[in-house]
Amino acid sequence: MAAVTTWTGREANALRQALRMSVTGFAEHLGAARRTVAKWSSQGDKVHLRADMQAALDTVLTRTTPEVRERFEALASAGTSGALADPAPLSVTATHLHTGAGGTHDIDSDGDVRRRDLLADVTISVITVPSVATLLNAMVAPSPRGTEPVALPFRQFARDVAAAKIDYQACRYEQVLARLATLLPALEPTRANTEGEQLAQFDALAGDLYHVVGSVLLKVGDKGMALVAAERSTRAAAISQDPVAMAASARIMTHALMSNGHMAQARQLAEDAAGTVRRSTRLASTDAVAVYGALLLRGAIAAARYEDRDSARAMLDEAAAAAGRLGYDGNDRWTGFGITNVLLHRVNIALTLGDAGTAITLARQVPLDKIGLAERKASLFVDVARAYTQWGRYEHGLDALRGAYQVAPEEIRCRPAVQRIASDLAVLTGGHVRSAVLDFAQHAGIRV
């Protein structure tokens, strides 16, 4: 086995995974701070380790068994940085999801999975390159040559924007793209035909429309154009002068900033926008409370990715208070905000910070039957899959991917994080497990 010339966070995390150690356990093994090891996981090859840590890792690697070295080489050559490599980093490490007798999903406290065939007779579509290209063309040139843009009646425009939101949250992305490609060219002519009080409502709807555009572009990994869409959402909402609309548009801007690596700016934006909507509305409506809480959750994620534990914890607690004030799990102003949503974010943030044990405990408390949005439920299954892969329980990781596929097939096909998990499973497994991984990937349309 060739020695590691220079240890970065990527190689260090590959060794941790090969040893099947938690962040905390690996830190104790090395005599390093847990925060330091978590940073290696989250920042990968952007972090070059100190000389003393390089020497310590050299020693650990030379003392490993051949089996561990084989796993290490596979992980390192695959370029994995572990469970925290993705821009939306989550990985539950000791929880399993199963389908109960009533058909809803629960978390099984003993960690066992009821095996089930999730792939039979499922017909799905995938976000295609031509569909995304059509969306981008509609953003860049809303009025194609030789065509006259057509205005829509205001009520139809409002219904179509709402339908796009519903399709997005249900992970029906091809339908979303088709709607957006029709709605974007209609924006300017429809606004020109709108007047009076409806004009401000239209601008708020335009902010919602570009929010969906940005969200879809983030799904397919077009971070630059997602940032453009987020800026347009922010601009339209500002024109409306609706404080809740402006706060809602700040959510997609925060998400786009995070995806482009601007964690500190994203956290600050979320905090500022939450404060603004609180002061301007006094949180007198359910929409205001939901958007306020959702902004805090987004800011908490940004803070966690920036390794600002105190801010992440404070924003989570404030969001929990808002959820208590709201009193139910709802989807006001398309936020999906509520008590369960806060719990999902607690799991996410614990894992982002490397606290796998805490994340496991929290994940077991999630009442999956109260997650009304397919996207959110699928994301939890994906996080569980990443966690089990990190933990070396590969069959459980595959089962979790199957669970996500059952909930939202299009979500599984389009997310880069899923492709990375499946690729890791294909590299790390052998025998019947690897065959099952490859069969699943082929059926689901995932490249490994």
Side-chain angles (χ1 to χ4, degrees):
M1 180 191 71
V4 177
T5 304
T6 302
W7 288 89
T8 69
R10 181 173 65 84
E11 289 84 18
N13 198 48
L15 180 55
R16 177 179 67 79
Q17 283 187 275
L19 289 165
R20 295 177 178 171
M21 287 185 172
S22 67
V23 170
T24 300
F26 194 53
E28 292 174 352
H29 188 64
L30 288 172
R34 190 209 54 78
R35 182 184 180 92
T36 299
V37 176
K39 185 176 181 180
W40 297 345
S41 293
S42 63
Q43 298 191 13
D45 54 14
K46 296 178 182 178
V47 178
H48 290 266
L49 277 55
R50 300 193 315 264
D52 58 333
M53 284 292 100
Q54 300 244 6
L57 289 165
D58 286 341
T59 301
V60 171
L61 180 59
T62 57
R63 292 176 178 175
T64 56
T65 65
E67 181 183 356
V68 170
R69 292 177 195 172
E70 183 178 350
R71 286 200 298 268
F72 168 73
E73 290 180 349
L75 285 161
S77 62
T80 181
S81 61
L84 302 177
D86 185 73
L90 261 184
S91 55
V92 181
T93 54
T95 305
H96 243 226
L97 308 178
H98 68 82
T99 302
T104 58
H105 292 89
D106 303 303
I107 294 185
D108 191 342
S109 60
D110 66 5
D112 292 331
V113 176
R114 294 185 183 180
R115 301 286 189 248
R116 63 207 184 276
D117 182 6
L118 302 177
L119 305 180
D121 300 319
V122 180
T123 302
I124 67 173
S125 59
V126 64
I127 298 182
T128 61
V129 173
S131 297
V132 177
T134 300
L135 173 61
L136 295 175
N137 288 338
M139 285 183 66
V140 175
S143 301
R145 291 181 182 179
T147 64
E148 286 294 328
V150 178
L152 298 174
F154 176 80
R155 289 188 178 181
Q156 180 183 341
F157 181 80
R159 286 195 300 269
D160 288 350
V161 171
K165 280 280 192 180
I166 291 169
D167 284 340
Y168 175 80
Q169 291 185 332
C171 303
R172 296 189 290 262
Y173 299 126
E174 278 293 328
Q175 291 185 39
V176 175
L177 287 164
R179 289 188 188 278
L180 296 178
T182 300
L183 283 167
L184 287 174
L187 264 176
E188 291 304 319
T190 303
R191 190 179 194 279
N193 284 1
T194 305
E195 56 187 19
E197 293 182 359
Q198 285 187 338
L199 189 57
Q201 297 173 34
F202 175 88
D203 289 326
L205 287 169
D208 286 343
L209 175 61
Y210 274 114
H211 192 144
V212 182
V213 173
S215 297
V216 172
L217 290 172
L218 286 174
K219 288 289 183 188
V220 299
D222 196 333
K223 302 173 185 178
M225 287 303 292
L227 199 56
V228 172
E231 192 278 330
R232 292 186 185 180
S233 176
T234 301
R235 189 193 318 161
I239 294 171
S240 78
Q241 297 186 335
D242 178 345
V244 177
M246 289 187 283
S249 70
R251 289 180 59 224
I252 186 59
M253 179 58 79
T254 301
H255 196 173
L257 285 171
M258 282 194 292
S259 294
N260 282 275
H262 305 299
M263 305 305 170
Q265 293 85 348
R267 186 205 64 79
Q268 191 63 55
L269 172 62
E271 184 178 40
D272 292 346
T276 298
V277 74
R278 183 188 66 243
R279 291 188 298 271
S280 59
T281 68
R282 297 185 181 277
L283 303 183
S285 68
T286 56
D287 278 0
V289 174
V291 172
Y292 169 74
L295 268 170
L296 290 171
L297 292 179
R298 183 59 60 186
I301 292 174
R305 294 185 191 178
Y306 196 61
E307 298 187 66
D308 184 351
R309 283 178 169 268
D310 292 339
S311 292
R313 187 177 297 111
M315 295 178 90
L316 272 173
D317 289 344
E318 196 171 347
R325 178 172 180 166
L326 191 63
Y328 57 86
D329 291 304
N331 193 25
D332 300 275
R333 205 63 180 235
W334 310 108
T335 59
F337 182 72
I339 296 169
T340 302
N341 189 224
V342 173
L343 182 55
L344 290 175
H345 281 73
R346 287 193 184 279
V347 174
N348 182 303
I349 287 166
L351 290 162
T352 299
L353 294 170
D355 298 334
T358 301
I360 294 164
T361 301
L362 292 169
R364 286 176 173 163
Q365 300 171 21
V366 175
L368 294 184
D369 59 329
K370 292 188 177 181
I371 305 175
L373 304 181
E375 185 205 11
R376 300 281 172 88
K377 189 176 290 185
S379 293
L380 180 62
F381 277 85
V382 170
D383 296 338
V384 170
R386 189 185 295 118
Y388 277 122
T389 302
Q390 174 189 353
W391 216 33
R393 297 176 68 176
Y394 304 127
E395 287 187 86
H396 291 346
L398 175 59
D399 283 327
L401 282 185
R402 287 172 170 158
Y405 183 89
Q406 183 186 44
V407 171
E410 288 191 50
E411 177 80 357
I412 298 311
R413 282 195 168 186
C414 78
R415 285 189 63 174
V418 174
Q419 294 179 359
R420 279 191 284 272
I421 296 168
S423 295
D424 284 349
L425 287 171
V427 169
L428 294 168
T429 56
H432 75 281
V433 178
R434 186 171 190 274
S435 296
V437 170
L438 295 177
D439 288 345
F440 169 76
Q442 181 179 13
H443 187 97
I446 301 170
R447 295 180 181 178
V448 295

